[in-house]
C-alpha cells in the first residue's frame, strides 16, 4: 500500500477540498451509459465472465486517473495511492451478498484467476464476509446490478466517518443496434474530484 501525502497548501484544489469537506454530505454522483461493446465481444469470444472482464477494464482505467487514487486520511490529510484495488459485492444463491477484495493485476488473466478464488471464498461464507482487505482505503467499492438498467442511483456512504472511497455500480447491458451500452454510476468525494475528472475516467472507459 504505497502512498504519497499531498501538500495541501500548494495544491491547486486546496480551497475546493476545504469547502466541500465541510459539507454534511460531500459526495456527488454521476450516472451515464458507456459503450462496452469491445469488452463484451472479447468476453463472449473467450467464453469468459463479462462481470470480470468489465471490472478489470474499469479498475485499469481508474488506476490511470489520479483523482480516483486520492483518499482523505488522518483527519484532513490527503494521500495518493500508487495503485488501487477493488472491493466488489458478490451474490450468493440464498439471495445474500458478501464483500470481496480483488487485487489489481494489470494482466487480465491473472486478475481473473485470483478473483475467482476470492469469489469462491465469499460464496462459501455467510454474512457480509469481511476480510482484512475489504475495509482498506486503497480500493474502489463496486457493485454489479445486472437485473436492470438505470439512469440514476443513490449510493450508501458513511461520510460522517470520514469516508472518501469512490463508489462505482454498473447495471444491465443495453443492446442498442448491436452496440452494448453499460449503465454506470459513480459516486465520489467532491473535495477530491470534480465532474471533469469523472469525464476523463469515462472517456478512458470508452477506449479499447
Amino acid at each position: 500500500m504505497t502512498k504519497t501525502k499531498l501538500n495541501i497548501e500548494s495544491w491547486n484544489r486546496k480551497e475546493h477540498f476545504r469547502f466541500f469537506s465541510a459539507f454534511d454530505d460531500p459526495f456527488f454522483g454521476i450516472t451515464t451509459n458507456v459503450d462496452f461493446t469491445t469488452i463484451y465481444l472479447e468476453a463472449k469470444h473467450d467464453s469468459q465472465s463479462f462481470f470480470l472482464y468489465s471490472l478489470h477494464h474499469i479498475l485499469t482505467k481508474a488506476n490511470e486517473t489520479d483523482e480516483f487514487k486520492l483518499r482523505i486520511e488522518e483527519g484532513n490529510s490527503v494521500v495518493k495511492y500508487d495503485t488501487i484495488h477493488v472491493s466488489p459485492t458478490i451474490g450468493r444463491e440464498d439471495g445474500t451478498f458478501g464483500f470481496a477484495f480483488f487485487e489489481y493485476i494489470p494482466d487480465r488473466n491473472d486478475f481473473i484467476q485470483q478473483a475467482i478464488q476470492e469469489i469462491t471464498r465469499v460464496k462459501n461464507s455467510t454474512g457480509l464476509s469481511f476480510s482484512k482487505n475489504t475495509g482498506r482505503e486503497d480500493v474502489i467499492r463496486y457493485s454489479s446490478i445486472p437485473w436492470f438498467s438505470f439512469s440514476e442511483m443513490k449510493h450508501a456512504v458513511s461520510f460522517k466517518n470520514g469516508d472518501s472511497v469512490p463508489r462505482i455500480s454498473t447495471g444491465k447491458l443495453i443492446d442498442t443496434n448491436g452496440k452494448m451500452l453499460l449503465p454506470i454510476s459513480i459516486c465520489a468525494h467532491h473535495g477530491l474530484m470534480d465532474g471533469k475528472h469523472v469525464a476523463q475516467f469515462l472517456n478512458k472507459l470508452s477506449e479499447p
Side-chain angles (χ1 to χ4, degrees), residues 91-129:
R92 303 188 184 94
E93 292 296 327
D94 65 359
T96 65
F97 70 86
F99 292 105
F101 172 83
F102 299 168
E103 179 184 359
Y104 174 60
I105 303 174
D107 183 86
R108 186 166 63 189
N109 290 331
D110 291 344
F111 172 82
I112 289 173
Q113 289 304 311
Q114 61 96 21
I116 289 174
Q117 293 179 8
E118 178 69 351
I119 289 172
T120 300
R121 180 191 73 82
V122 175
K123 285 183 176 291
N124 290 330
S125 67
T126 58
L128 292 174
S129 189

Side-chain angles (χ1 to χ4, degrees), residues 117-206:
Q117 293 179 8
E118 178 69 351
I119 289 172
T120 300
R121 180 191 73 82
V122 175
K123 285 183 176 291
N124 290 330
S125 67
T126 58
L128 292 174
S129 189
F130 289 123
S131 72
K132 64 180 181 180
N133 289 319
T134 55
R136 287 165 53 161
E137 294 292 312
D138 59 337
V139 298
I140 297 290
R141 309 281 179 215
Y142 176 81
S143 294
S144 172
I145 307 173
W147 307 285
F148 53 85
S149 60
F150 52 74
S151 58
E152 187 175 355
M153 183 174 180
K154 173 70 171 64
H155 293 255
V157 179
S158 55
F159 48 81
K160 289 184 178 179
N161 296 323
D163 191 6
S164 61
V165 176
R167 269 75 169 158
I168 297 178
S169 292
T170 56
K172 183 179 180 179
L173 278 167
I174 305 169
D175 188 344
T176 306
N177 298 320
K179 182 178 291 187
M180 307 305 290
L181 302 181
L182 184 67
I184 183 166
S185 174
I186 300 165
C187 180
H189 195 294
H190 214 339
L192 301 179
M193 71 174 82
D194 300 322
K196 178 181 179 179
H197 306 116
V198 174
Q200 292 170 348
F201 168 68
L202 293 171
N203 288 335
K204 293 177 189 294
L205 284 182
S206 298

Side-chain angles (χ1 to χ4, degrees), residues 6-109:
L6 272 62
N7 184 342
I8 294 179
E9 293 304 317
S10 62
W11 190 22
N12 64 351
R13 288 189 54 81
K14 177 179 69 175
E15 290 190 21
H16 303 72
F17 169 70
R18 289 177 174 164
F19 177 73
F20 287 110
S21 293
F23 280 32
D24 291 334
D25 180 1
F27 282 76
F28 73 101
I30 292 175
T31 303
T32 189
N33 295 327
V34 180
D35 188 348
F36 264 67
T37 307
T38 299
I39 300 299
Y40 171 80
L41 292 176
E42 287 178 358
K44 186 175 181 179
H45 177 270
D46 297 340
S47 299
Q48 292 287 348
S49 163
F50 174 74
F51 166 70
L52 291 177
Y53 266 48
S54 59
L55 181 51
H56 183 263
H57 185 63
I58 289 169
L59 188 55
T60 296
K61 300 310 178 182
N63 270 287
E64 294 175 4
T65 310
D66 283 347
E67 286 71 22
F68 279 80
K69 297 191 284 187
L70 298 178
R71 301 289 183 271
I72 301 171
E73 297 183 355
E74 300 174 1
N76 291 318
S77 296
V78 178
V79 300
K80 185 178 81 171
Y81 283 94
D82 288 355
T83 304
I84 52 175
H85 313 283
V86 64
S87 178
T89 56
I90 303 298
R92 303 188 184 94
E93 292 296 327
D94 65 359
T96 65
F97 70 86
F99 292 105
F101 172 83
F102 299 168
E103 179 184 359
Y104 174 60
I105 303 174
D107 183 86
R108 186 166 63 189
N109 290 331

